[in-house]
Each structure stands twice: as structure tokens, then as C-alpha cells.
């Protein structure tokens, strides 16, 4: 038999407009007038399956932001199995169950305990079930339902930025896009108009407007001029509920800046400018500044100045100061009050960056008239030439006039001028000048061969005002006259072989002349009259400014005459003719059959052939070095050898150094030496501690030298006693070591010195128990024991 159970969920509104129940496929805007029941059925065979439903009430709405003092009533849960006897209890689970939502387990009433905010969580999914209170078993299958939070308009629109910044060019057309503002509303956009935002402008009219739906701000006024107003502050409001009464709103500020365009031409504040300038103004010096005003800024206000016309068009120039946008008028040519004292210029100022859109406003340039008055100044004298070049022969007499310079005062007064030579340019005072007429004359003899050009400076100064002076360079060229005789181009010293043949060329001669020849030098060579007849040589003029010396006889004997001096006369062909006598030295030498010189000294034949002085010195040095090497080697061989550390096996005193001797570490540079123990006199008595400063210097005590046959034990005991009582003994490791182990040592002797007497007492069998690493050692000492036993 099948049993059917019905589980009814009853929901109703306990307060107006607080909670209500609707079908899943339908949303109501009102509240139900009667109870809505959800019927669930099942049997024992289908406990795990939910029964088929034709419809169900499982979606509920609850108003957010409940402000009442009591819990907000949601609905009631009821089962047809509930007989009212308290045998059933109702259980609620899911989102917020037990915290946000509670259920009365007896009656099934569901309540909300807190204020709910749809913007935090819009939907809650819960599950309800009726169970037997005694057994805890469910009497109906679990049912799931949804509670949706019904939205109210509790959030105002919020802009994405608190402040917007935008810029547009000035003079923009109406409707030019400026910027778009955006506001969002956290309310539910699917329910009512709570999230429908409408934009409006509160501040900024009539200059700007805003589109109500998009928030796009546009220009609303034509020809807004930056020069009149640059900054605008616009306040935009965003209001929900479609802008209706009672809607919430938010505002934002938009700062709008008009950027500059070139809509203003430059304008001179005055039509005429006047400047005064002295006629002595240096070139490229500024005369004055003019400026055209431009209301624009940056590159739109950049101006280029130019001189378009006027009688001073080529006398003056104008440049633009990029920092101040001023026109700087400068002097291009030297001014002269006496020639012209007034210049009239027309200066034009034009924009460098012109916007074609605003050409209708007129030409973007302006012009002004500039009057420049030249003032008279006391000018220095002016020479007739910028430089003078003069020529003078080198043989002119002293006080001869070589030229004249002329200067005059350019002023209307025509003040007289006096002349002088700048002695810094004529330190030797070779020239002088007539102070009245400017004639230059010589004051010392001239020599072209010494100095060809003389560069002097002449000064012309006004007599009434010597400070007004000017200078001019004068270049004086000294012309040549034939006053120098020709001479050999070099000193000639040649040789002739003893076996020379007659008419053999032994030397070619050439000559030079310090004088200048316009047609080239022509020299003639000849022997002096006293040598022409009796000479052993002849001279032949080659007619090309060279000459050759030839032998006259067949053989020469250097033992009879070793050197010949041949006088040669050299003449030029200029006027007046100059000549000089030069001497050629000819030595007689011994030569081989090819004519190569062997020796020119007569003494070389007298002495027998031998070694040269350099060879003898080299041999002597080699002998000295060899002797020094032999002496050093012998000295090293004779040097006493150091006494060995161990002399014999029986001398047990030497073996004490093999054990617990502790040195002074890296600072101890004195190695231990048993020889020092045996020879105490070798100890350096002056050695002190290096790690501390000694307070008192004690004189070290001398100890008696130990005999060679002294027992080491007695020797060490004696030294130990002496060091214990010695106040000068160092407190750290030193030569006074305590290395002897006596019979009273707990570890007994660590030395092998007594191994001769103690080997028999040793048992090395334990070495075999130490493992394979000591096998070799155990075999060695085991074999020694077996040898002794045998």
C-alpha cells in the first residue's frame, strides 16, 4: 500500500510591502491575498527522488534596508504531516541560515535578523525540511527555495573620477567634443529606474553643455578666446530615477583649459622708435631693442624681425632674441657723422607660425619706423691706406728717405697730426719718421742678407688730443746690391793617392753667393797667381758654377809632403764684380790598387803592425773579470761549513730537537739549533722581546761554556736554573726550551732516545688488532720481535 505525504510551504506577508511569494516563472509587483501552498508528495519506494510538480512557489522577495525594530518576517513553513502535537520540527539550511535567517522549529515561521543589502548579496538559496522530533528522520523530502532581495533606491550615482581635466583649442566651433564623464549606480538596473542615470550641467553655462544620456561635454559658445579667459570650471550632476523627483544624485568637477592657437597678430605698441648712436660704435654692436606684442603664447608668439626698406638698409641689421622675442638692431658698417648723421628704417615683425584658419583676421605682421641719429665723436686720425709697402736698397746712406705715410683728422675741426714710430716694432731703431710730414728715413745701415723685410708700425696722433691716435703697418723691403763675394759651398778637404796618375780628377768644387741675382749666379774659378805655376795640381772651370781639381804629376810622396794647400779664386759676374780666395786642403794618402784610401799618416809606416788601443783595453778587461771570478770561487770554497745537526747516533744530546719543541709561530724567525745549546756564546745577547716595550734594560749574564762530554740532563738542568733566576729571560718561547722528559713524567718519555733500552719491554702485538691499515706496521715490529727472540 502506498502512502502519500504532502509537505506544504505556506508563505504570506505579515506586514505590507515587506515580503511576498511568486511563482518561479512570474514576478509580482503586489502581495498575495491568500496563502500559497507548495505540495510535495512521495512514497517509500521513491525516497531518493523528488516527485513531479506541475508548479511551485519557490521564489520570494524581501525588501532591503529594513529599518524596523523587530525581525523582518519572511514566511511560514508548514507540512501536511504536522498534526499540531509538536512531533515535528522544521529545519532551515543554506545561505545565511541560522545567522541572517532563522526558523521557529515548532511553527515554521522564517524571519530575517539583520538589515539586508542587495548590493552586497542579491540572492539567498535556502533549503527547508520537516523532521520527526523524536527520531530525527525527515518526513518530507528537502525542498529548496530562493529569497531575492528586492532593490530600493539607496545608492546615489558615483562618478569614476572626483575631478576631470580636459583641454580644447580656443576659438573652437560649437559642439566640439571636450570630454566624457561617467557615473555608475550600484542599484539594480533591472528593477525600476533606480540605476537609470541622467546627466545635467549645474555650472559652466553658457559655455558648455552635456548630453543627458552619454555624459559627453561639448562647447556651447562660439569663439571662446583664451586671451580673454583661459580656465573654466564645469560642475556636472548625475541623477538616478531617470532624473525624476526623489532620485539620488552625485556631482563631479571638470576643469577645462583653452589651449592657444595663433589667432592674434604681432602689434608694435608705437609706430616710431628713435635711437642715438655714436659714430665710433664698433661693428655688430647693438643700437637698441624694439618689441612687438603678441597675445598668443609659446610658438604662436614667436616673431621674426626684418628691415624692409630705408636709407640705412645696408648700414644696420636686426636679429631676434629668442628668449624675449625682441628685435635687436645692430651696426653692420662703420658710421661716419661727417658723411651721414641720420638713418630712417622700416622694421617689420611677423609671426613665424601662421595658422591658415585665421588668415581672415588679417595679416599676421606689423611694421614700425626706426630713426637712428648718429652723434659726432672726436675720432682719431685716419691713414690714407690701410697698410704701406716700401722698398729701399741696402746700400743707401743713413738718413735717406724711403717713403711717406699720410693721415688726417676726419672731424670737421681737422686737427693737426704728428707721426711717430712704435719702437716695439723697431727695437734696433733702424728707421725714423718726420713727425710733421710722415716721411720715413733710415737711421742705420741696412743689410739684405741679415734681414730682408722690416715690419714697423707708424702712429698718427692728434696734437691737441694725443689720446686720439691710430696705427698703420709699414712693410719695408730691403733690395739687394752686389756686396758679397762668392765662397765655397762647404769646406773642402780631400786627398790624393801616392800612386795617382797625372790629369786625375780628385775633387769637384762649387760656390754660393749671399747676394740675390735676378738672372742667376755665374761664377768663375781660377788658381791664385802664386800657385798657378808651381802647383802640383791644376784647376779646370766647368762653366756651370763648378770646377774640378786635377793632378799634374804621376806620383806623390807623403813622406816628403803630406799636405797641400791650394788657393782658388772665385768671382761673380754682377756689378760691381766681387771675388774671394778660398783654400782647398789636399792630403797625400796611401791607397790600394783601386784607389781606396788606406792611411794618410806618415808615422804609420814607421811603427810595426800591432793591436789597436781598443783591442788592448778589451783584452785587459777580460783578464780582470776572469781574475775576480776565480777569487770569488776560491773564497766560497774556503768558507767554513755549518756544523751538522746530528753528528753520530750515539750523541743523544743532538736528538733532543726531534720532539716537543714549540716555536714562536710566524713571528719566531730564529730556528732552534742544538749548536746554539752547545755554544752559548753564539747567542745574540742584545735580542729582546719584540711584542712589548722593555721597562728596564738588564745586562745579560754570561754563562760558562759547557764541556763536550757534559751530560745533556745536567746541562739542561743547569740552564733551567739559570733562566729561572735570570730577570732578563724572555717570558715566551725562546732558545731556553724545556724539551727534556724526565723519569717523573706521567706520560713517560716521548723520545725514542731510550728505545735501545726499552724495545725489549715493548709488545707490538696490539698493532695486529688495529685493522688492515696498520698491517704493514705490525709486520715490521712483529718481525723485529722475532729477530730478537731468535
Amino acid at each position: 500500500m502506498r502512502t502519500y505525504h504532502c509537505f506544504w510551504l505556506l508563505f504570506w506577508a505579515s506586514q505590507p510591502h515587506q515580503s511576498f511569494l511568486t511563482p518561479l516563472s512570474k514576478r509580482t509587483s503586489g502581495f498575495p491575498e491568500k496563502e500559497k501552498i507548495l505540495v510535495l508528495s512521495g512514497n517509500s519506494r521513491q525516497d531518493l527522488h523528488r516527485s513531479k510538480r506541475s508548479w511551485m512557489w519557490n521564489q520570494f522577495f524581501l525588501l532591503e534596508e529594513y529599518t524596523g525594530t523587530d525581525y523582518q518576517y519572511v514566511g511560514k513553513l508548514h507540512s501536511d504531516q504536522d498534526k499540531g502535537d509538536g512531533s515535528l520540527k522544521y529545519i532551515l539550511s543554506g545561505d545565511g541560515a541560522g545567522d541572517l535567517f532563522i526558523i521557529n522549529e515548532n511553527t515554521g515561521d522564517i524571519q530575517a535578523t539583520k538589515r539586508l543589502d542587495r548590493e552586497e548579496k542579491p540572492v539567498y538559496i535556502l533549503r527547508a525540511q520537516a523532521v520527526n522530533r523524536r527520531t530525527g528522520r525527515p518526513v518530507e523530502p528537502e525542498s529548496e527555495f530562493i529569497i531575492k532581495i528586492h532593490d530600493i533606491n539607496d545608492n546615489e550615482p558615483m562618478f569614476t573620477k572626483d575631478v576631470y581635466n580636459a583641454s580644447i583649442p580656443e576659438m573652437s566651433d560649437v559642439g566640439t567634443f571636450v570630454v566624457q564623464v561617467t557615473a555608475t549606480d550600484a542599484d539594480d538596473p533591472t528593477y525600476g529606474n533606480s540605476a537609470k542615470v541622467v546627466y545635467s550641467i549645474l555650472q559652466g553655462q553658457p559655455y558648455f553643455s552635456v548630453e543627458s544620456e552619454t555624459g559627453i561635454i561639448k562647447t556651447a559658445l562660439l569663439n571662446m578666446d583664451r586671451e580673454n579667459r583661459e580656465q573654466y570650471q564645469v560642475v556636472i550632476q548625475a541623477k538616478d530615477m531617470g532624473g525624476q523627483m526623489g532620485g539620488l544624485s552625485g556631482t563631479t568637477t571638470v576643469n577645462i583649459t583653452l589651449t592657444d592657437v595663433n589667432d592674434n597678430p604681432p602689434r608694435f605698441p608705437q609706430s616710431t622708435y628713435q635711437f642715438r648712436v655714436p659714430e665710433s660704435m664698433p661693428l655688430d654692436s647693438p643700437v637698441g631693442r624694439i618689441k612687438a606684442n603678441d597675445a598668443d603664447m609659446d610658438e604662436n608668439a614667436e616673431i621674426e624681425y626684418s628691415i624692409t626698406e630705408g636709407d640705412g638698409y645696408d648700414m644696420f641689421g636686426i636679429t631676434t632674441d629668442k628668449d624675449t622675442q625682441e628685435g635687436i638692431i645692430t651696426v653692420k658698417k662703420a658710421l661716419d657723422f661727417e658723411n651721414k648723421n641720420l638713418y630712417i628704417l622700416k622694421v617689420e615683425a611677423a609671426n613665424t607660425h601662421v595658422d591658415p584658419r585665421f588668415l581672415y583676421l588679417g595679416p599676421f605682421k606689423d611694421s614700425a619706423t626706426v630713426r637712428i641719429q648718429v652723434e659726432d665723436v672726436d675720432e682719431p686720425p685716419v691713414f690714407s691706406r690701410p697698410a704701406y709697402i716700401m722698398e729701399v736698397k741696402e746700400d743707401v746712406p743713413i738718413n735717406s728717405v724711403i717713403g711717406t705715410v699720410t693721415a688726417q683728422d676726419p672731424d670737421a675741426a681737422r686737427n693737426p697730426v704728428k707721426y711717430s714710430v712704435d719702437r716695439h716694432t723697431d727695437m734696433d731703431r733702424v728707421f725714423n719718421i718726420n713727425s710733421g710730414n710722415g716721411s720715413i728715413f733710415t737711421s742705420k745701415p741696412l743689410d739684405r742678407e741679415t734681414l730682408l723685410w722690416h715690419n714697423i708700425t707708424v702712429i698718427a696722433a692728434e696734437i691737441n688730443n694725443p689720446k686720439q691716435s691710430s696705427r698703420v703697418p709699414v712693410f719695408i723691403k730691403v733690395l739687394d746690391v752686389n756686396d758679397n763675394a762668392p765662397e765655397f759651398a762647404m769646406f773642402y778637404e780631400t786627398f790624393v793617392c801616392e800612386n795617382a796618375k797625372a790629369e786625375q780628377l780628385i775633387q769637384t768644387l762649387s760656390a754660393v753667393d749671399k747676394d740675390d741675382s735676378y738672372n742667376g749666379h755665374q761664377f768663375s774659378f781660377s788658381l791664385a797667381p802664386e800657385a798657378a805655376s808651381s802647383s802640383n795640381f791644376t784647376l779646370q772651370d766647368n762653366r756651370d758654377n763648378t770646377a774640378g781639381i786635377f793632378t799634374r804629376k804621376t806620383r806623390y810622396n807623403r813622406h816628403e809632403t803630406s799636405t797641400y794647400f791650394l788657393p782658388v779664386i772665385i768671382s761673380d759676374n754682377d756689378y760691381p764684380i766681387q771675388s774671394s780666395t778660398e783654400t782647398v786642403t789636399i792630403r797625400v794618402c796611401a791607397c790600394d790598387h783601386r784607389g781606396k784610401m788606406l792611411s794618410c799618416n806618415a808615422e804609420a809606416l814607421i811603427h810595426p803592425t800591432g793591436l789597436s788601443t781598443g783591442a788592448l783595453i778589451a783584452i785587459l778587461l777580460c783578464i780582470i773579470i776572469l781574475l775576480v771570478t776565480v777569487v770569488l770561487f776560491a773564497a766560497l770554497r774556503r768558507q767554513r761549513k755549518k756544523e751538522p745537526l746530528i753528528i753520530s747516533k750515539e750523541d743523544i744530546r743532538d736528538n733532543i730537537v726531534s720532539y716537543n719543541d714549540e716555536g714562536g709561530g710566524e713571528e719566531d724567525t730564529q730556528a732552534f739549533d742544538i749548536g746554539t745549546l752547545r755554544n752559548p756564546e753564539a747567542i745574540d745577547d742584545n735580542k729582546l722581546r719584540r711584542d712589548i716595550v722593555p721597562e728596564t734594560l738588564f745586562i745579560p749574564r754570561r754563562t760558562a761554556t759547557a764541556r763536550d762530554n757534559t751530560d745533556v740532563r745536567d746541562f739542561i738542568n743547569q740552564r733551567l736554573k739559570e733562566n729561572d733566576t735570570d730577570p732578563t729571560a724572555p717570558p715566551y718561547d725562546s732558545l731556553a726550551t724545556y724539551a727534556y722528559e724526565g723519569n717523573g713524567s706521567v706520560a713517560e718519555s716521548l723520545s725514542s732516545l731510550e728505545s735501545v733500552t726499552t724495545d725489549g719491554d715493548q709488545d707490538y702485538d696490539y698493532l695486529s688488532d688495529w685493522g688492515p691499515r696498520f698491517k704493514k706496521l705490525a709486520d715490521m715490529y712483529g718481525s723485529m720481535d722475532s729477530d730478537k727472540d731468535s
Side-chain angles (χ1 to χ4, degrees), residues 142-307:
E142 188 178 58
S143 179
E144 183 179 270
F145 62 95
I146 299 174
I147 299 178
K148 285 190 175 182
I149 308 302
H150 187 74
D151 184 46
I152 63 173
N153 189 18
D154 60 341
N155 290 281
E156 70 276 5
M158 299 293 293
F159 283 93
T160 57
K161 294 181 181 179
D162 294 334
V163 178
Y164 289 83
N165 294 300
S167 62
I168 59 169
E170 62 174 333
M171 309 299 289
S172 296
D173 296 333
V174 175
T176 301
F177 174 84
V178 179
V179 69
Q180 183 176 12
V181 296
T182 303
T184 58
D185 195 318
D187 292 327
D188 188 1
T190 62
Y191 179 78
N193 295 325
S194 298
K196 186 177 181 180
V197 178
V198 174
Y199 300 94
S200 61
I201 184 168
L202 300 182
Q203 176 182 324
Q205 295 174 332
Y207 307 103
F208 301 94
S209 62
V210 62
E211 292 184 358
S212 60
E213 295 182 358
T214 62
I216 296 176
I217 301 175
K218 297 180 180 180
T219 58
L221 189 65
L222 185 65
N223 295 333
M224 286 189 291
D225 193 357
R226 184 198 65 83
E227 288 73 31
N228 294 331
R229 182 177 178 182
E230 184 177 4
Q231 297 286 340
Y232 294 87
Q233 190 175 75
V234 179
V235 177
I236 302 297
Q237 181 190 66
K239 190 173 184 180
D240 58 13
M241 299 297 294
Q244 298 176 6
M245 187 69 67
L248 302 179
S249 63
T251 61
T252 187
T253 301
V254 182
N255 295 322
I256 302 174
T257 303
L258 297 184
T259 59
D260 186 57
V261 297
N262 192 6
D263 58 339
N264 294 279
R267 290 288 181 263
F268 282 106
Q270 58 193 67
S271 60
T272 303
Y273 296 85
Q274 291 188 0
F275 298 100
R276 292 181 176 271
V277 57
E279 61 176 336
S280 60
M281 177 73 71
L283 300 181
D284 297 327
S285 299
V287 175
R289 289 172 175 255
I290 61 176
K291 183 178 182 180
N293 299 324
D294 194 326
D296 296 321
M297 58 186 299
D298 298 333
E299 68 173 12
N300 295 321
E302 292 182 0
I303 301 174
E304 187 71 27
Y305 295 90
S306 61
I307 299 175

Side-chain angles (χ1 to χ4, degrees), residues 463-714:
I463 294 178
N464 299 332
N465 187 8
K467 293 183 178 180
Q468 294 296 331
S469 62
S470 57
R471 297 166 176 264
V472 68
V474 179
F475 306 102
I476 302 173
K477 182 179 181 181
V478 180
L479 301 178
D480 184 49
V481 296
N482 193 23
D483 59 345
N484 291 279
E487 57 188 12
F488 280 151
M490 57 181 293
F491 175 74
Y492 289 102
E493 182 178 2
T494 184
F495 71 95
V496 62
C497 295
E498 288 183 310
N499 55 358
K501 298 180 180 179
E503 301 298 328
Q504 181 178 342
L505 177 65
I506 61 174
Q507 183 64 50
T508 300
L509 307 177
S510 62
V512 293
D513 194 337
K514 295 180 180 179
D515 293 325
D516 190 13
S517 176
Y518 298 102
N519 298 322
H521 291 290
Q522 292 292 330
F523 302 127
S524 60
F525 300 86
S526 63
L527 291 177
E530 65 272 12
S533 58
S534 61
S535 176
N536 293 310
F537 303 93
T538 61
L539 179 67
Q540 179 180 340
D541 191 348
N542 298 327
R543 304 298 180 183
D544 59 355
N545 294 337
T546 63
I549 300 177
F550 295 86
T551 58
R552 176 175 287 182
K553 61 182 182 179
T554 302
R555 294 187 63 86
Y556 296 85
N557 191 340
R558 58 178 168 161
H559 298 289
E560 294 178 358
T561 304
S562 60
T563 304
Y564 294 93
F565 298 96
L566 187 66
V568 178
I569 298 174
I570 311 172
S571 303
D572 57 21
N573 63 345
D574 292 334
Y575 179 83
I577 297 176
Q578 300 288 340
S579 63
S580 65
T581 302
E582 301 289 331
T583 301
V584 180
T585 302
I586 303 174
R587 302 180 65 186
V588 180
C589 300
C591 302
D592 57 11
H593 64 281
R594 293 188 300 271
K596 184 177 180 181
M597 181 183 65
L598 297 178
S599 176
C600 293
N601 296 326
E603 293 80 4
L605 297 176
I606 301 174
H607 299 287
T609 304
L611 295 176
S612 64
T613 304
L616 292 175
I617 293 175
I619 293 174
L620 183 60
L621 288 176
C622 291
I623 294 174
I624 293 174
I625 293 173
L626 182 60
L627 290 176
V628 171
T629 304
V630 172
V631 171
L632 291 176
F633 182 75
L636 293 175
R637 293 274 298 186
R638 295 179 59 187
Q639 201 175 31
R640 182 179 179 182
K641 296 183 178 179
K642 190 175 181 180
E643 186 174 357
L645 185 63
I646 300 178
I647 300 176
S648 64
K649 295 182 179 180
E650 289 76 11
D651 193 353
I652 62 174
R653 291 175 299 176
D654 295 344
N655 296 338
I656 195 170
V657 299
S658 302
Y659 304 102
N660 58 346
D661 175 48
E662 294 182 357
E666 294 181 357
E667 296 296 330
D668 185 11
T669 59
Q670 303 295 328
F672 184 85
D673 187 4
I674 192 63
T676 306
L677 285 176
R678 299 183 59 192
N679 299 284
E681 294 180 352
I683 301 176
D684 189 357
D685 297 331
N686 296 327
K687 288 187 176 179
L688 299 176
R689 287 190 59 176
R690 292 174 293 176
D691 57 338
I692 62 172
V693 178
E695 298 178 356
T696 306
L697 296 177
F698 296 94
I699 301 175
R701 297 187 301 173
R702 290 285 182 178
T703 57
T705 305
R707 298 189 305 273
D708 292 340
N709 57 356
T710 302
D711 184 70
V712 173
R713 178 182 300 176
D714 297 335

Side-chain angles (χ1 to χ4, degrees), residues 198-438:
V198 174
Y199 300 94
S200 61
I201 184 168
L202 300 182
Q203 176 182 324
Q205 295 174 332
Y207 307 103
F208 301 94
S209 62
V210 62
E211 292 184 358
S212 60
E213 295 182 358
T214 62
I216 296 176
I217 301 175
K218 297 180 180 180
T219 58
L221 189 65
L222 185 65
N223 295 333
M224 286 189 291
D225 193 357
R226 184 198 65 83
E227 288 73 31
N228 294 331
R229 182 177 178 182
E230 184 177 4
Q231 297 286 340
Y232 294 87
Q233 190 175 75
V234 179
V235 177
I236 302 297
Q237 181 190 66
K239 190 173 184 180
D240 58 13
M241 299 297 294
Q244 298 176 6
M245 187 69 67
L248 302 179
S249 63
T251 61
T252 187
T253 301
V254 182
N255 295 322
I256 302 174
T257 303
L258 297 184
T259 59
D260 186 57
V261 297
N262 192 6
D263 58 339
N264 294 279
R267 290 288 181 263
F268 282 106
Q270 58 193 67
S271 60
T272 303
Y273 296 85
Q274 291 188 0
F275 298 100
R276 292 181 176 271
V277 57
E279 61 176 336
S280 60
M281 177 73 71
L283 300 181
D284 297 327
S285 299
V287 175
R289 289 172 175 255
I290 61 176
K291 183 178 182 180
N293 299 324
D294 194 326
D296 296 321
M297 58 186 299
D298 298 333
E299 68 173 12
N300 295 321
E302 292 182 0
I303 301 174
E304 187 71 27
Y305 295 90
S306 61
I307 299 175
T308 57
E309 59 183 62
D311 52 4
Y313 181 82
D314 58 341
M315 299 295 295
F316 300 93
I318 189 168
T319 58
T320 303
D321 188 335
K322 298 300 182 182
D323 297 329
T324 62
Q325 296 300 316
E326 293 178 317
I328 305 173
I329 301 174
T330 57
V331 179
K332 290 174 60 178
K333 292 184 178 181
L335 303 176
D336 189 359
F337 173 82
E338 288 71 25
N339 292 333
K340 189 174 180 62
N341 57 15
L342 178 63
Y343 295 91
I344 299 177
L345 309 175
K346 186 177 181 180
V347 178
E348 184 179 85
N351 282 138
T352 57
H353 303 280
V354 178
D355 194 335
R357 296 177 300 171
F358 305 103
L359 289 177
Y360 68 91
L361 298 176
F364 281 78
K365 59 184 177 180
D366 194 16
S367 61
T369 301
V370 178
R371 298 171 59 89
I372 301 176
Q373 182 72 43
V374 180
E375 298 178 342
D376 187 26
V377 296
D378 190 6
E379 298 177 274
V382 178
F383 284 95
S384 60
R385 300 179 188 176
Y388 291 86
I389 299 177
M390 301 179 182
E391 294 181 348
V392 59
K393 291 186 177 182
E394 60 179 331
D395 61 346
V396 296
I398 297 176
N399 296 326
S400 298
V401 177
I402 61 175
T404 302
V405 296
T406 303
Q408 62 179 1
D409 184 10
D411 298 326
R414 300 296 180 185
N415 295 321
V417 177
K418 66 177 180 179
Y419 303 92
S420 62
V421 176
D422 187 356
R423 292 306 173 186
H424 292 90
T425 61
D426 186 23
M427 302 293 292
D428 297 332
R429 295 181 177 270
V430 179
F431 301 95
N432 212 333
I433 191 171
N434 189 307
S435 62
N437 58 20

Side-chain angles (χ1 to χ4, degrees), residues 717-746:
N717 289 332
Q718 179 185 353
R719 290 292 181 264
L720 178 61
K721 181 178 180 181
E722 290 175 356
N723 281 277
D724 289 339
T725 58
D726 187 4
T728 64
Y732 71 119
D733 292 348
S734 66
L735 292 176
T737 59
Y738 308 96
Y740 186 82
E741 292 287 348
N743 293 331
S745 174
V746 178

Side-chain angles (χ1 to χ4, degrees), residues 739-775:
Y740 186 82
E741 292 287 348
N743 293 331
S745 174
V746 178
E748 297 182 354
S749 178
L750 302 178
S751 172
S752 62
L753 297 177
E754 300 178 1
S755 61
V756 177
T757 58
T758 59
D759 282 347
D761 301 330
Q762 292 289 337
D763 185 7
Y764 298 104
D765 294 339
Y766 61 87
L767 294 176
S768 301
D769 300 333
W770 286 7
R773 294 187 178 181
F774 296 91
K775 184 177 183 304

